[in-house]
Amino acid sequence: MSFLTLDHVSHHYFSRNNYTKALDNISFVVKDGEFIALLGPSGCGKSTILSIIAGILKQTTGEVLLEGKPINDSDLAIGYMLQQDYLFPWKTIKDNSLIGPKICHSKTPEVENEALKLLKEVGLANVADSYPNALSGGMRQRAALVRTLITDPKILLLDEPFSALDYQTKLKLEDLVSKLLRAYHKTAILVTHDIGEAISMSDRILLMNANPGSIAKIFEVPIELRNETPFLVRKHPKYQLLFDRIWEELNKNEINPEQAKGAANQDES
Amino acid sequence: MSPESDRHLLINHKYKLKREKKIVFTWQIAILISFFAIWEIASRLYWIDPLLFSSPSKIVELLMNKFSDGSILPHVQVTVFETILGFLLGTIIGIIIATLLWSSNRLSKIMDPYLVIMNAMPKVALGPIIIVALGPGYISIIAMGAIISVVITTLVVYSGFKEVDPNYEKVLKSFGASRFQCFKEVIFPATLPTMISTLKVNVGLSWVGVIVGEFLVSKEGLGYLIVYGFQVFDFTLVMSSLIVIAVVAGIMYKIVEKIESWLIKHTG
Ligand SMILES: Nc1ncnc2c1ncn2[C@@H]1O[C@H](COP(=O)(O)OP(=O)(O)OP(=O)(O)O)[C@@H](O)[C@H]1O
Ligand SMILES: [Mg+2]
C-alpha cells in the first residue's frame, strides 16, 4: 500500500526578478513502514522536498498525498527533524520535548510521562530539567529526536540530523534511531550526504541530481543489509558493493552535469 | 600543578581585582570632589559669575531647606510619576505596535515610510500640538514622555522579531502551529532580551520628554522648577533642580538595570 505519494511535484523559489527551479517533476512512492534515503549534492532540493511533505512549503505544481489525502487535509502527525536541533534555549529539555503536544493542545500527564520515558530511553533522563546550552551536540540531537517522536508521527522526515556530529556520536545515534524506528514501526525519509549512512539505515535510496532537482536513480538496499544495525551493515561485504555502485553513479553525474535539462535559472543573489 | 598553588593563584587574582576596583573608585571620588571644589572656589573668587553659576554651598543650603520643609518633594514625586508612566506607556505601546506590524506583512509594508518619518522627526517638536490636543496638564506631559520612546521601541522590537531564526518557526509549523502560537512560543521569548534592553534606553528618553513637557506647561515638577528659577533669575534653584534630576534619573536607571538583570535571569 502506498503511504506517501509524490506525483510530478515541482517547486520554484521566486525572488524579485528571477526564479530558481528547485524541484523538477519529482515522483516517488513510499510504502508504510519503509525507510527511504535521499542522497544528492548540496542544493539539489532535498530540504525542499522535506519541507513540502511537512506542509511548511506548498509545491508550485504536482500533488503530495499522505494516505491518499492531500497533506494539508491530513491530520496525521508528521515528525520533522532539522539539520540542527533548534531546541528552544529558554525551555528545559523536558519542555522542549513537549512542545509538539503543547502546540496541539494534547499535553496531558500521560504524555509527559511518555516524554520522560523516551528521554530515559535515549539516555537523557538526568538532564530533563537542564537547558539546551548545557548539553553536547549529540545530546541535543537526541533531545530533538524525542521532541519529534513524542507526537507519535506516522512519518519521520530527517534532514541530515547527524551531519553536525562527530563520527563516533553519529554511528551511535544512527543505531539508536534505526532501533527506535523499527521498534515503533515508523515510515521515514532520511536526507543525507553520506553514502554509508544512506546504505546502512534505509531500505531504498533515491539518488538526486541538481539544477533542477530531480531523481537520477533508485537503488534497492539488499535484504541482508536491511535488518542489520547501521554499525554492522558497514562491515557487510554487500555494503561495499552497493557503495561502489552509488559512488560511480554520483561521479557520472558530476562529470556530466549538463544532463540537467530545461532552464535552470539560478538566483542572482 | 597542585591544588594548593592553584588556590594561591586564585587568591592572587582576587587580590588584584580588588585593588583595581579600589583605584577606580578613588579616582571617581577624586573627580567628584575636585569638580565641586573648583566650582566653589571659582564662584567665591569671582572667576565665574556666582549669580549665574551659583555655587555648591548655596545649592546645598537651598536643598537642605527645601527638603527639610518638604517643599521640593511634591515636585520630585510629580516628575518621577510622569516619567515612569511615560516610560511604561512608550515601551508597552511600542511592543504592541511592533506585534501588529509582525502579524501582517502588508501592514508593515504600508506603515514603513510613516515609521521612518516618525522616527526621523524630533518628537519634542510635537509638544505644542500635544498640549493643544490633550490639554495643559499631566496627561500631555506623560504623552510627551511616552511618544519620545514609542517609535524607536517599535522599530527595534520589530526588527528583533524579524531576526529570529526562521527554523525555530519551522519546528513549530511542522507540529501545525498557528501564527499566534509561533509568536507566543518563539518570536516573543526569543526577542525578550531585545525588549528588555530597550527599557534602559527608554527610561532616559522619557526623562527628556517629561522635562521638555514640564518646560512647556505645568505648575509642578522639576522641569517647572528649572523654568521658574530661570524666570525669576534664581540660578541656585535651577542648578539644584538639575542636581536632583541627575540623582533621581541615575537611581531610576540603576533600578531599571536591576530589573533587567533580574528579568534576564528569570526568563532563561
Ligand atoms: N528560501 C529560498 N529562496 C530561494 N531559493 C532557495 C530557498 N531555499 C532554497 N533555495 C534554492 O533551492 C535549491 C534547493 O535548496 P535545498 O535547500 O532544498 O537544497 P538541499 O538539497 O537541501 O541542499 P543542502 O544539502 O545543502 O542542504 C538551491 O538551489 C537553493 O539555492
Ligand atoms: Mg538541506
Side-chain angles (χ1 to χ4, degrees):
Chain A
M1 190 195 87
S2 78
F3 180 67
L4 172 75
T5 312
L6 273 79
D7 187 16
H8 297 285
V9 170
S10 298
H11 190 80
H12 304 72
Y13 285 108
F14 298 102
S15 61
R16 195 181 298 272
N17 43 28
N18 210 335
Y19 66 95
T20 310
K21 192 163 189 180
L23 297 177
D24 184 31
N25 269 329
I26 302 275
S27 299
F28 64 86
V29 170
V30 182
K31 291 192 285 281
D32 195 15
E34 198 178 19
F35 197 129
I36 298 279
L38 279 178
L39 192 64
S42 190
C44 69
K46 304 181 296 288
S47 298
T48 307
I49 293 187
L50 291 198
S51 290
I52 288 173
I53 297 172
I56 293 169
L57 275 179
K58 179 92 183 108
Q59 69 276 16
T60 34
T61 60
E63 221 177 4
V64 183
L65 300 175
L66 193 59
E67 289 194 323
K69 278 187 283 186
I71 29 158
N72 286 325
D73 302 346
S74 160
D75 45 7
L76 278 185
I78 288 172
Y80 192 2
M81 209 169 148
L82 299 168
Q83 207 151 344
Q84 282 161 39
D85 51 76
Y86 290 106
L87 296 174
F88 301 132
W90 52 86
K91 283 181 189 292
T92 61
I93 294 303
K94 185 175 160 223
D95 288 341
N96 258 298
S97 55
L98 283 166
I99 188 71
K102 188 169 179 200
I103 291 296
C104 309
H105 306 288
S106 60
K107 190 174 146 189
T108 57
E110 292 90 77
V111 176
E112 276 182 53
N113 280 335
E114 182 65 23
L116 285 177
K117 217 181 89 197
L118 272 173
L119 282 173
K120 198 165 164 195
E121 204 163 335
V122 300
L124 291 178
N126 53 336
V127 291
D129 293 318
S130 307
Y131 287 90
N133 57 13
L135 272 63
S136 71
M139 291 163 93
R140 294 172 60 115
Q141 205 56 272
R142 274 179 277 159
L145 180 66
V146 172
R147 174 180 67 189
T148 313
L149 290 175
I150 191 69
T151 50
D152 194 21
K154 288 292 162 292
I155 181 161
L156 270 133
L157 309 171
L158 310 169
D159 195 347
E160 305 186 42
F162 315 121
S163 62
L165 305 174
D166 62 271
Y167 194 66
Q168 201 189 356
T169 315
K170 180 178 133 123
L171 287 186
K172 278 189 194 153
L173 260 182
E174 282 180 8
D175 275 1
L176 175 71
V177 169
S178 126
K179 189 186 91 196
L180 284 176
L181 295 196
R182 208 160 299 157
Y184 293 101
H185 189 77
K186 301 278 187 214
T187 312
I189 301 181
L190 169 77
V191 160
T192 176
H193 280 127
D194 179 346
I195 304 176
E197 188 172 289
I199 299 174
S200 56
M201 294 193 70
S202 70
D203 305 327
R204 207 146 49 103
I205 299 172
L206 309 186
L207 188 67
M208 290 184 66
N209 266 337
N211 296 327
S214 52
I215 292 176
K217 204 162 176 143
I218 297 178
F219 296 92
E220 294 279 341
V221 176
I223 296 282
E224 299 94 307
L225 301 183
R226 290 188 195 173
N227 294 322
E228 290 288 2
T229 63
F231 183 75
L232 291 176
V233 168
R234 283 185 162 85
K235 296 181 171 164
H236 203 281
K238 290 212 168 171
Y239 167 84
Q240 201 54 45
L241 239 73
L242 183 55
F243 192 103
D244 292 341
R245 270 174 62 210
I246 297 175
W247 180 254
E248 215 172 277
E249 190 68 32
L250 269 173
N251 284 332
K252 209 159 72 192
N253 292 344
E254 212 153 274
I255 295 159
N256 193 8
E258 296 314 314
Q259 212 174 356
K261 59 219 167 284
N265 285 277
Q266 280 304 300
D267 207 315
E268 291 164 326
S269 54
Chain B
M1 219 182 270
S2 72
E4 202 40 54
S5 65
D6 284 346
R7 261 239 330 266
H8 209 78
L9 282 176
L10 177 67
I11 291 170
N12 215 342
H13 176 72
K14 272 189 184 160
Y15 173 72
K16 272 189 196 152
L17 281 185
K18 233 186 208 161
R19 225 175 87 99
E20 175 68 21
K21 225 173 166 178
K22 244 186 209 159
I23 293 175
V24 169
F25 187 67
T26 312
W27 272 104
Q28 286 168 336
I29 294 291
I31 289 175
L32 189 76
I33 291 175
S34 39
F35 174 76
F36 283 108
I38 291 171
W39 185 2
E40 184 71 37
I41 293 167
S43 170
R44 296 231 171 154
L45 299 181
Y46 288 92
W47 296 346
I48 55 174
D49 188 344
L51 215 54
L52 295 183
F53 294 100
S54 188
S55 73
S57 56
K58 280 195 244 168
I59 291 172
V60 169
E61 197 189 318
L62 183 113
L63 284 178
M64 295 269 254
N65 280 335
K66 289 228 171 228
F67 271 107
S68 59
D69 68 7
S71 64
I72 202 172
L73 280 180
H75 295 290
V76 177
Q77 280 169 355
V78 163
T79 303
V80 166
F81 169 75
E82 288 164 345
T83 308
I84 291 176
L85 224 68
F87 152 72
L88 288 179
L89 278 177
T91 309
I92 292 168
I93 295 174
I95 291 172
I96 292 174
I97 297 176
T99 308
L100 289 178
L101 292 179
W102 178 85
S103 69
S104 157
N105 263 328
R106 184 177 289 162
L107 181 67
S108 80
K109 272 186 223 148
I110 294 172
M111 293 311 291
D112 184 57
Y114 300 106
L115 282 172
V116 169
I117 290 172
M118 283 296 289
N119 188 39
M121 174 117 181
K123 260 73 67 183
V124 289
L126 297 172
I129 298 174
I130 292 176
I131 290 163
V132 169
L134 300 176
Y138 294 122
I139 300 183
S140 290
I141 296 170
I142 292 166
M144 289 279 285
I147 205 163
I148 202 165
S149 55
V150 79
V151 182
I152 190 72
T153 306
T154 304
L155 292 176
V156 170
V157 172
Y158 179 60
S159 78
F161 284 166
K162 294 221 299 191
E163 267 162 30
V164 177
D165 191 329
N167 284 306
Y168 284 115
E169 263 187 90
K170 234 185 197 177
V171 169
L172 290 191
K173 278 187 195 154
S174 75
F175 294 121
S178 66
R179 206 159 157 76
F180 171 73
Q181 281 176 319
C182 284
F183 184 81
K184 189 170 142 257
E185 297 293 338
V186 175
I187 305 292
F188 192 83
T191 321
L192 208 55
T194 311
M195 294 185 206
I196 292 168
S197 70
T198 64
L199 292 180
K200 255 182 359 195
V201 178
N202 288 353
V203 74
L205 287 175
S206 291
W207 273 100
V208 177
V210 165
I211 295 296
V212 170
E214 290 184 344
F215 281 0
L216 295 176
V217 279
S218 86
K219 300 163 196 64
E220 260 184 315
L222 294 167
Y224 163 78
L225 283 186
I226 291 175
V227 173
Y228 175 75
F230 181 66
Q231 281 164 351
V232 301
F233 224 73
D234 181 355
F235 282 94
T236 304
L237 180 60
V238 175
M239 291 292 184
S240 305
S241 311
L242 275 179
I243 286 180
V244 173
I245 290 178
V247 171
V248 178
I251 292 171
M252 209 187 250
Y253 187 84
K254 278 285 163 196
I255 294 175
V256 170
E257 213 172 47
K258 281 268 180 304
I259 295 176
E260 173 180 333
S261 65
W262 185 87
L263 278 176
I264 286 177
K265 215 190 248 157
H266 289 263
T267 50

